[in-house]
Amino acid sequence: MKVTDHISQSTKTLISFEILPPLKGKGIQSLYTHLDPLMEFKPSFINVTYHRSEHIFKKRADGSFEKVVIRKRPGTESICASIMNKYNVDTVPHLICGGFGINETEDALINLNYLGIDNVLVLRGDAAKNESAFEPEPGGHKYAIDLLKQVTNLNAGLYLEEDLKNTSKTKFCIGVAGYPEKHFEAPNMDADLKHLKAKVDAGADYIITQMFFNNEKYFSFVSACREIGINVPIIPGLKPIYSKKQLTILPKTFHIDLPISLSEAVISCKSDEDVEKVGQEWLLEQSKELKKAGVPVLHYYTLGRPQLVANVVKELV
Ligand code: FAD
């Protein structure tokens, strides 16, 4: 079922989760162990992130270096199918431009369609580790909107091979990313919102936001979107804080601010267990306020701490 159908058919705030594929070498059971404590909350859908290949330099026996391509977390598409099969819950695979040519993208979409997956979250992806700025594959997509247009084409039965006749139409429900604190490359919020509106005008059905720790940022973002005519559901993305290290890692990685009262509370903790308590309490307060404001879905980035998220959701339902 489509994310937008879940939203339109419900009168209350829904719950969804986001997970990463396991590191290569770990079995699918590690993922089920992560998900098991969350399933009692009957999530409407589960997102599975996509991780592009990386180039690394491996030292040979003779001391020289060899450039090799590795993917640390493969399997997004098949994990989505496994989760649907095991838990009977809808899944949302993330699909990125980086590392993909348009033919591979089309094949990935065809595979998802065959697997009975109705949703995709289309993203540009970040620059590869060895690049200073995002570089598309030769002939690949530069922005998420270009990938989105490929999905809407397929939804209209338009494949890359133009001479295909009587084609089957896919019916993907398309999500895109939005940034309450601005995407770090955008020169200003207005420009970023203009690009977000272009994605919606091109066919995006809903937006999921980057994580934020101050609900006011989400509320202002939603108002700014509505003012410029973005009328699709805007799903807040939420993440728990659970270690002191995150005070520097999260702003550096995700280009977001942490409120002073949160950072001071974390700094004053004596152990990471204390930080978990602070993070859990903060996430619960954020969730309660968002729920009260009537957001369509509370989307939790569960990465690494499913139990902490479960403790919060338990208090909400
Ligand atoms: P875009 O919408 O293409 O925007 C990128 C930048 O270009 C923005 O600054 C935008 O303002 C600007 N821009 C857009 N269109 C134009 C234009 N026509 N001209 C000039 N500038 C333009 N990354 C992964 O690798 N895998 C994942 O699974 C993943 N999941 C994510 C989930 C969520 C909810 C979010 C918020 C992010 C996720 N990311 C993921 C990270 C994402 O790929 C990065 O934030 C990336 O840098 C931008 O992706 P985007 O889809 O927002 O890009």
Side-chain angles (χ1 to χ4, degrees):
M1 188 163 145
K2 296 180 179 198
V3 166
T4 44
D5 289 340
H6 280 286
I7 293 172
S8 64
Q9 289 174 21
S10 175
T11 50
K12 52 179 193 169
T13 297
L14 304 171
I15 300 290
S16 62
F17 299 121
E18 183 162 316
I19 57 160
L20 272 67
L23 280 168
K24 194 185 275 182
K26 295 214 187 266
I28 188 96
Q29 189 53 46
S30 65
L31 192 112
Y32 295 152
T33 307
H34 183 99
L35 277 176
D36 282 345
L38 298 168
M39 296 317 292
E40 66 172 286
F41 306 111
K42 301 196 174 8
S44 298
F45 53 91
I46 294 175
N47 281 48
V48 183
T49 56
Y50 194 93
H51 300 261
R52 64 181 296 171
S53 313
E54 295 171 30
H55 293 106
I56 58 158
F57 288 93
K58 230 175 164 178
K59 204 170 183 177
R60 294 196 188 100
D62 65 2
S64 64
F65 284 91
E66 178 191 9
K67 191 176 174 185
V68 287
V69 179
I70 56 157
R71 262 187 83 197
K72 289 185 182 162
R73 293 181 185 273
T76 300
E77 301 92 329
S78 47
I79 287 168
C80 285
S82 309
I83 292 173
M84 281 169 69
N85 189 36
K86 181 169 168 65
Y87 298 108
N88 193 23
V89 61
D90 284 302
T91 51
V92 184
H94 292 190
L95 211 57
I96 61 173
C97 308
F100 272 94
I102 54 174
N103 287 300
E104 287 165 288
T105 298
E106 183 170 276
D107 290 349
L109 288 164
I110 290 170
N111 276 331
L112 293 173
N113 185 236
Y114 289 164
L115 289 167
I117 291 168
D118 297 329
N119 302 287
V120 282
L121 186 72
V122 303
L123 301 145
R124 186 196 69 183
D126 282 320
K129 290 229 163 85
N130 55 325
E131 291 171 352
S132 58
F134 178 82
E135 286 288 339
E137 286 297 289
H141 299 305
K142 190 172 178 192
Y143 294 111
I145 190 170
D146 306 319
L147 171 55
L148 188 147
K149 285 177 183 166
Q150 188 173 4
V151 184
T152 56
N153 276 345
L154 219 56
N155 279 352
L158 299 172
Y159 289 68
L160 294 172
E161 279 173 56
E162 285 167 8
D163 48 358
L164 291 180
K165 300 265 181 306
N166 301 320
T167 52
S168 161
K169 294 177 185 175
T170 56
K171 49 173 183 151
F172 290 110
C173 173
I174 308 169
V176 291
Y179 301 83
E181 297 177 61
K182 187 180 87 59
H183 183 262
F184 69 104
E185 291 168 25
N188 51 60
M189 194 62 172
D190 286 349
D192 207 25
L193 286 171
K194 195 179 105 194
H195 295 136
L196 180 59
K197 180 158 189 317
K199 291 194 279 191
V200 173
D201 291 346
D205 296 297
Y206 66 97
I207 296 164
I208 300 196
T209 75
Q210 181 60 279
M211 68 187 74
F212 55 90
F213 291 88
N214 176 351
N215 285 351
E216 286 312 314
K217 306 246 172 170
Y218 168 83
F219 294 132
S220 315
F221 175 70
V222 173
S223 300
C225 286
R226 300 305 182 224
E227 265 170 37
I228 60 164
I230 296 176
N231 293 316
V232 295
I234 302 179
I235 299 174
L238 297 164
K239 180 178 169 65
I241 284 245
Y242 50 79
S243 77
K244 283 195 180 185
K245 280 190 286 189
Q246 287 176 305
L247 287 187
T248 45
I249 291 172
L250 294 179
K252 187 170 168 229
T253 312
F254 298 104
H255 309 276
I256 52 161
D257 272 355
L258 299 176
I260 182 118
S261 48
L262 175 60
S263 62
E264 284 182 349
V266 171
I267 288 165
S268 67
C269 288
K270 297 216 162 28
S271 66
D272 271 355
E273 287 77 57
D274 291 344
V275 179
E276 280 195 14
K277 280 188 206 134
V278 168
Q280 189 172 307
E281 191 52 35
W282 191 274
L283 185 62
L284 179 59
E285 291 311 311
Q286 266 197 288
S287 305
K288 279 182 180 167
E289 188 182 32
L290 289 164
K291 189 175 174 192
K292 200 167 163 209
V295 299
V297 184
L298 292 167
H299 182 73
Y300 292 98
Y301 300 112
T302 66
L303 329 174
R305 285 298 186 282
Q307 195 53 55
L308 208 157
V309 171
N311 294 345
V312 167
V313 180
K314 202 172 281 166
E315 296 289 320
L316 286 173
V317 290

